[in-house]
């Protein structure tokens, strides 16, 4: 395995310029969830050139793909890619690096195919992580049905093996009031914006009475049409997160009650629409994390302990609920750079991002090789998953 891993490392180094160029191209052409036509196309072209059999539009999702190398009977190991951008600030979550790390790992494994143990390697393109639930659609569409283990990385300001991801539910609150002249006849109106503001105030007070892992945050999506018109309609979107689904739903009901109370207080009518993309918490798999850690350290990177106060959510959590799956974090930005910021978007194309991309591709590929070489490791990961479930 040592010789094989050395060959994998050399293969990634040989591809580094091409991978960085692809990463920069995706970064320069940010596409929102389910609109990643360019990114998906470029990634598929790259994988096809490495000898993968590429299937586009899997599970009926236009910008999803599955690329496979079948090396005979054995485990099926999947490496996942994300490539959607954030509205307004582009690749401020570094998905350009996630995508190219994944295809880079696949390309390195393809380059040493003749030395690989038996099994199947799949590189799976998963659109719309930023709220669209692409992985949920792929799980429901059976894309992961025959996969034994899945893995991906996420860019960060340090190397971390595992960070807990919260479950998340999203909800729209649409309030309807009554328009009136804001100066001449304000008493004739019912102010829908007041209902939105009271929802925010009540939710802010609620934060004092929930567990530390809970996150409640929202934005006003419609605040009225003009200052001299009592807002007839107003809307807000809220996210509710928690470490367990049971508690998430408990807090969700309280946030909905905040909106209902605001409607009663102002006289507005309320329409509550829960969005279908419910992300589940990420389940740990120590077996897979241990293999990844050994390979990360093999190439000279040292993982750090996670910061328990930095919490997020992702649809990789949904994958981890149906099979062993991991999402370690790889350093691509200077320490202290917050994700979902313009600074992180800028960092995602700097030299440190190239270094993280290469580290991630090597570690993902070496971990895949270990799992192919030792089906007992795969069984152990699956046994651990089953016991935890």
């Amino acid at each position: 395995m040592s010789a094989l891993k050395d060959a994998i490392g050399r293969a990634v180094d040989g591809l580094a310029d091409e991978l960085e160029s692809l990463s920069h191209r995706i970064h320069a052409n940010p596409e929102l969830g389910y609109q990643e036509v360019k990114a998906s196309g470029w990634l598929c072209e790259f994988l096809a050139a490495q000898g993968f059999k590429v299937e586009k539009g899997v599970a009926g999702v236009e910008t999803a793909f599955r690329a496979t190398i079948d090396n005979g009977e054995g485990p099926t190991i999947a490496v996942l890619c994300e490539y959607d951008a954030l509205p307004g600030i582009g690749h401020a979550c570094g998905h350009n690096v996630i995508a190219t790390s994944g295809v880079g790992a696949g390309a390195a494994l393809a380059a040493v195919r003749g030395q690989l143990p038996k099994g199947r390697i799949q590189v799976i393109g998963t659109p719309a992580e930023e709220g669209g639930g692409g992985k949920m659609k792929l799980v429901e569409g059976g894309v992961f049905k025959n996969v034994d283990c899945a893995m991906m990385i996420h860019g960060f300001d340090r190397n971390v093996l595992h960070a807990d991801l919260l479950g998340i539910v999203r909800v729209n609150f649409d309030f309807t009031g009554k328009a009136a002249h804001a100066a001449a006849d304000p008493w004739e109106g019912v102010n829908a914006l007041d209902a939105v503001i009271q929802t925010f105030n009540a939710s802010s007070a609620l934060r004092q009475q929930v567990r530390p892992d809970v996150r409640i945050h929202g934005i006003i999506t419609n605040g009225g049409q003009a200052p001299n018109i009592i807002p007839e309609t107003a809307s807000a979107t809220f996210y509710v997160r928690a470490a367990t689904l049971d508690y998430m739903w408990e807090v969700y009901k309280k946030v909905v009650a905040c909106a209902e109370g605001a409607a009663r207080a102002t006289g507005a009518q309320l329409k509550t629409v829960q969005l279908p993309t419910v992300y589940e918490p990420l389940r740990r798999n120590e077996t897979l994390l241990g293999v990844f850690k050994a390979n990360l350290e093999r190439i000279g990177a040292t993982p750090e302990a996670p910061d328990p106060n930095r919490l997020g959510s992702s649809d990789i959590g949904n994958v981890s609920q149906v099979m062993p799956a991991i999402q370690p974090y790889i350093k691509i930005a200077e320490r202290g750079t917050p994700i979902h910021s313009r600074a992180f978007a800028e960092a995602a194309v700097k030299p440190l991002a190239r270094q993280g991309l290469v580290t991630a591709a090597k570690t993902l590929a070496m971990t895949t090789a270990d799992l192919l070489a030792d089906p007992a490791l795969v069984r152990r990961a699956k046994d651990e998953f089953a016991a935890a479930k």
Side-chain angles (χ1 to χ4, degrees):
M1 287 303 293
S2 180
L4 174 59
K5 290 181 181 181
D6 288 343
I8 287 171
R10 289 192 297 270
V12 173
D13 288 336
L15 290 162
D17 288 345
E18 188 176 359
L19 292 170
E20 183 183 37
S21 176
L22 178 56
S23 176
H24 286 196
R25 200 184 329 161
I26 293 171
H27 187 279
N29 294 272
E31 299 165 297
L32 300 182
Y34 299 120
Q35 301 173 31
E36 316 98 321
V37 177
K38 291 179 181 178
S40 177
W42 293 330
L43 294 165
C44 287
E45 288 172 9
F46 176 84
L47 289 165
Q50 313 307 314
F52 279 81
K53 175 187 174 184
V54 178
E55 304 165 78
K56 299 181 181 180
V58 292
V61 180
E62 180 185 358
T63 54
F65 64 82
R66 175 172 54 198
T68 304
I69 284 182
D70 193 333
N71 219 29
E73 190 63 31
T76 298
I77 310 301
V79 178
L80 311 187
C81 301
E82 296 173 358
Y83 33 90
D84 59 319
L86 287 157
I89 55 175
H91 279 288
C93 206
H95 287 194
N96 57 305
V97 178
I98 296 175
T100 47
S101 296
V103 299
L109 291 164
V112 299
R113 180 175 182 175
Q115 305 171 56
L116 284 179
K118 300 295 184 183
R120 281 162 299 282
I121 302 156
Q122 294 187 342
V123 179
I124 300 177
T126 64
E129 185 275 334
E130 297 291 357
K135 294 182 192 64
M136 294 173 60
K137 291 183 182 292
L138 301 193
V139 169
E140 294 163 2
V143 172
F144 293 100
K145 183 178 180 182
N146 296 314
V147 174
D148 291 297
C149 300
M151 69 187 91
M152 60 176 289
I153 63 93
H154 200 293
F156 207 44
D157 66 342
R158 67 199 74 180
N159 298 318
V160 175
L161 285 177
H162 172 90
D164 290 334
L165 294 178
L166 305 177
I168 182 173
V169 58
R170 303 165 175 89
V171 60
N172 289 338
F173 296 128
D174 299 315
F175 294 92
T176 302
K178 181 181 177 184
H181 195 291
D185 301 295
W187 49 84
E188 296 291 343
V190 175
N191 196 319
L193 180 58
D194 281 350
V196 167
I197 292 170
Q198 290 305 317
T199 301
F200 274 85
N201 290 339
S203 297
S204 294
L206 176 61
R207 290 191 182 98
Q208 303 175 61
Q209 312 300 324
V210 295
R211 294 174 185 167
D213 57 75
V214 168
R215 299 290 186 270
I216 304 168
H217 42 102
I219 61 168
I220 297 174
T221 54
N222 170 23
Q225 284 64 55
N228 62 346
I229 304 171
I230 298 294
E232 183 176 31
T233 60
S235 304
T237 297
F238 273 77
Y239 290 4
V240 179
R241 310 182 196 236
T244 67
L245 288 180
D246 286 347
Y247 193 55
M248 180 194 76
W249 288 118
E250 182 180 332
V251 176
Y252 170 78
K253 291 176 182 177
K254 293 179 179 181
V255 173
V256 171
C258 290
E260 291 171 342
R264 287 194 295 270
T266 58
Q269 299 298 310
L270 169 63
K271 179 182 178 183
T272 298
V273 180
Q274 179 205 314
L275 303 183
T277 50
V278 177
Y279 289 1
E280 300 193 48
L282 177 65
R283 293 173 58 183
R284 291 181 71 102
N285 192 281
E286 296 294 349
T287 302
L288 295 183
L289 290 172
V291 181
F292 191 95
K293 178 177 184 288
N295 286 307
L296 186 64
E297 292 175 338
R298 187 182 193 277
I299 59 176
T302 303
E304 300 182 40
D307 182 343
N309 297 310
R310 296 179 73 178
L311 299 169
S313 305
S314 174
D315 53 4
I316 185 64
N318 298 66
V319 178
S320 78
Q321 299 294 329
V322 297
M323 71 179 62
I326 58 171
Q327 180 189 259
Y329 293 79
I330 299 295
K331 181 180 178 68
I332 68 168
E334 296 293 345
R335 196 176 190 92
T337 308
I339 59 174
H340 287 206
S341 70
R342 295 193 183 278
F344 201 86
E346 293 170 4
V349 286
K350 290 184 176 179
L352 195 55
R354 175 191 170 110
Q355 180 180 327
L357 191 167
V358 169
T359 297
K362 289 179 180 180
T363 311
L364 288 167
M366 292 177 186
T367 302
T368 300
D370 280 329
L371 294 171
L372 292 175
D374 190 355
L377 266 180
V378 176
R379 287 195 298 272
R380 194 188 314 161
K382 296 175 82 169
D383 288 346
E384 179 186 338
F385 171 84
K389 192 172 184 179

